[in-house]
Amino acid sequence: MSEDKPRIGVAMIGYAFMGRAHSQAWRNAHRFFDLPLEPHMAVLVGRDEQRATSAARQLGWDAVETDWRRAIERDDVDVVDICTPGDTHAEIAVAALEAGKHVLVEKPMANTVAEAETMAAAAGAARGRGVRSMVGFTYRRVPAITLARQMVADGRIGEVRQVRAQYLQDWLADADAPLSWRLDKEKAGSGALGDIGAHIIDLTQFVTGQRIAGVAGMLDTFVTERPVAESFSGLHGTGGTERGPVTVDDAAMFLGRLSSGAPAVFEATRFAWGRKNAIRIEVNGSTGSLAFDFEDMNVLHYYDATEPAGTAGFRRIIVTEPEHPYIEAWWPAGHGLGYEHGFVHQAVDLVRAIGAGEDPTPSFEDGLHVQRVLEAIERSSAEHSTYTEIGD
Ligand code: SOE
C-alpha cells in the first residue's frame, strides 16, 4: 500500500467497548489490506466533550463532536459508524443516509422491527444515490466461519439437515453484577436475545446460506433487579447501594426452521458460568458436519462422512493458511487471529464495497430479517405460542 490513496473520512459515534474495537479496525484496515480508499479517522462523537476528547486522543481520532448531527454534516465525513446503544440506531442511521453518508451500524440493527423497516427503507433509497449501508455482524468475518460458509456452499457436507447454535457468556451470572444499558429494554430492545442471540441467528443464516423461516421460543429472566452501576469498564462495572430493575431477558432458547425446512436449535445466555464468549455452531449435513467454537476461533472442525468409517473422524482444520479467508494479510500459518480481526475484516469489506460501488453485506435488509426473527421469538415466548412463520 505504498501509493497515496484517496481518503474516506469516518465519523464514529460512541466510544465504549464497540467504539474501541471499531477504532482499532479503522486504524489497521489499510495497513494490512490493499484498499481502494484509505480510511481517515476524522471525528469521534461523544456527549461529554472532555471524555470524548480523551478517548479520541487514545483511540486515534482527529476531531471530536458532541452532537452526532454536526458530525453527519461534516464535509470530511463519508462514513458514519454507529457504535451506540440500539435505541439510537434508527434516528442516526436514517439521518446519515439522507445526508448521503455511508453507514455501518452495530448489531442488533435496531430495537424493533418498525425501526428496522425505516432503516431498510432509507438504505434502499440511499442505495439509488450510491450510498452504502452495512450491519456489524463481525463474527461472519472470522476466517473459520467464512470457510465454513464456503464449504457448505461447495457441498462438502451435502444437504444441510440440522443446525445447533449457542452463544454462551457468564458476565451476568453474578446476581450482584450491576445494571448497564444492555439490561434496560428501552436502551437495548432485549437482553441476551438481541445482544448475542442476534449473532447466532446471523451466523446460522450466513453459514447455511438460508434464512430462518419460522421460530418458537422462550425467554427467561433469572435476576430481576441489580445494583445501579457507579463505574463501568467494558462489560463490567462496580455497583453501589442503589438497586434498579432488569427489564430484559437473561436467556433465550428457541427452535427455528430454515428456508429449506431444516430444523435448528438455538441458545443464548449470559449466565453460563465458565463460558466467556462461547459462540458455537454445528451444521450436520447429509454427507458430513462442520463445527466451530469461538473460544477456539482459529479452528474449524470437519467430519467427512464419505471417508471410510475406519479412518473417518472430525479433522481439526487450523484456519491460518494463506489460502484461507483474510489470512494472507496477516501472519504465517499457525500464528492465529483474535477477536479484533473480525472488526478489521468488516472495515476492509465495507471500504472495498464502497470503492467498487457495490452493496456490502450484511445489508439493512438482512438486519431487518434478523429483527423479524427476534420479534417472532419474543412474541412466541410472550404468548406461549408454538411455531411462528416469518415473512421476508
Ligand atoms: C455483550 O454480550 C457483548 O459485548 C455483545 O454486545 C457483543 O456483540 C459480543 O460480540 C460480545 O459480547
Side-chain angles (χ1 to χ4, degrees):
M1 285 73 74
S2 55
E3 73 276 12
D4 289 340
K5 295 281 179 66
R7 296 211 300 189
I8 182 167
V10 183
M12 184 180 75
I13 305 170
Y15 54 92
F17 177 11
M18 285 302 113
R20 291 174 59 234
H22 284 233
S23 297
Q24 68 77 37
W26 291 119
R27 286 196 306 269
N28 290 303
H30 65 291
R31 292 184 167 87
F32 283 88
F33 291 82
D34 184 18
L35 297 183
L37 302 161
E38 179 175 318
H40 168 225
M41 299 170 71
V43 57
L44 178 149
V45 181
R47 283 168 300 188
D48 179 310
E49 183 167 16
Q50 186 179 353
R51 289 174 58 192
T53 302
S54 169
R57 190 175 304 117
Q58 182 186 16
L59 299 173
W61 295 86
D62 283 356
V64 169
E65 292 282 2
T66 55
D67 181 344
W68 61 265
R69 295 166 187 80
R70 282 203 298 272
I72 69 174
E73 296 304 335
R74 288 172 62 120
D75 293 336
D76 62 346
V77 170
D78 305 295
V79 177
V80 174
D81 182 8
I82 305 171
C83 295
T84 53
D87 63 324
T88 61
H89 290 181
E91 182 184 16
I92 299 172
V94 169
L97 288 165
E98 290 174 350
K101 310 298 185 184
H102 308 292
V103 171
L104 169 60
V105 65
E106 260 295 330
K107 44 52 60 182
M109 185 166 95
N111 281 2
T112 65
V113 166
E115 288 173 353
E117 285 171 341
T118 60
M119 296 168 77
R127 188 174 293 130
R129 303 193 308 274
V131 178
R132 310 297 167 186
S133 43
M134 182 195 221
V135 184
F137 285 112
T138 51
Y139 291 120
R140 53 166 64 195
R141 293 183 157 90
V142 171
I145 289 290
T146 300
L147 177 62
R149 174 185 170 89
Q150 291 170 351
M151 291 178 72
V152 171
D154 292 345
R156 300 294 296 274
I157 63 169
E159 177 195 348
V160 171
R161 286 270 169 72
Q162 278 184 255
V163 180
R164 60 191 62 81
Q166 299 173 323
Y167 198 147
L168 312 175
Q169 296 178 328
D170 69 1
W171 61 279
L172 287 173
D174 176 354
D176 290 328
L179 289 170
S180 68
W181 68 264
R182 284 184 171 87
L183 294 169
D184 174 356
K185 187 170 183 61
E186 287 301 311
K187 285 279 185 188
S190 63
L193 176 66
D195 182 27
I196 53 179
H199 278 301
I200 52 179
I201 290 167
D202 178 68
L203 279 184
T204 296
Q205 298 187 138
F206 178 67
V207 170
T208 63
Q210 300 183 40
R211 283 223 159 143
I212 293 173
V215 290
M218 58 187 193
L219 306 179
D220 284 275
T221 301
F222 307 126
V223 174
T224 56
E225 69 160 29
R226 291 178 177 269
V228 173
E230 287 181 336
S231 66
F232 235 92
S233 170
L235 292 177
H236 302 285
T238 51
T241 52
E242 187 188 349
R243 298 180 71 80
V246 171
T247 54
V248 295
D249 56 285
D250 286 327
M253 267 64 80
F254 50 103
L255 302 173
R257 201 173 279 288
L258 303 184
S259 39
S260 67
V265 178
F266 300 88
E267 180 187 1
T269 178
R270 302 179 294 195
F271 275 68
W273 274 125
R275 303 299 181 197
K276 300 306 174 182
N277 205 43
I279 308 161
R280 299 166 172 176
I281 182 167
E282 180 167 321
V283 185
N284 303 136
S286 54
T287 62
S289 292
L290 287 166
F292 170 83
D293 183 342
F294 183 81
E295 291 188 347
D296 189 13
M297 68 170 280
N298 291 286
V299 172
L300 180 64
H301 300 270
Y302 171 49
Y303 184 95
D304 180 353
T306 66
E307 286 186 20
T311 54
F314 266 106
R315 74 178 75 151
R316 192 170 181 276
I317 304 171
I318 301 179
V319 189
T320 58
E321 298 297 324
E323 59 262 44
H324 285 140
Y326 303 106
I327 295 296
E328 190 172 12
W330 297 108
W331 322 125
H335 288 67
L337 301 187
Y339 170 74
E340 73 279 14
H341 291 88
F343 291 86
V344 178
H345 301 159
Q346 174 173 265
V348 166
D349 289 345
L350 175 58
V351 171
R352 282 177 169 168
I354 291 169
E358 295 168 357
D359 288 315
T361 55
S363 67
F364 276 22
E365 289 76 13
D366 294 327
L368 170 56
H369 190 79
V370 171
Q371 220 58 49
R372 286 189 170 127
V373 174
L374 295 173
E375 192 163 270
I377 294 161
E378 286 188 301
R379 201 166 55 245
S380 168
S381 177
E383 296 162 4
H384 305 291
S385 66
T386 55
Y387 183 76
T388 306
E389 291 202 349
I390 298 158
D392 267 334

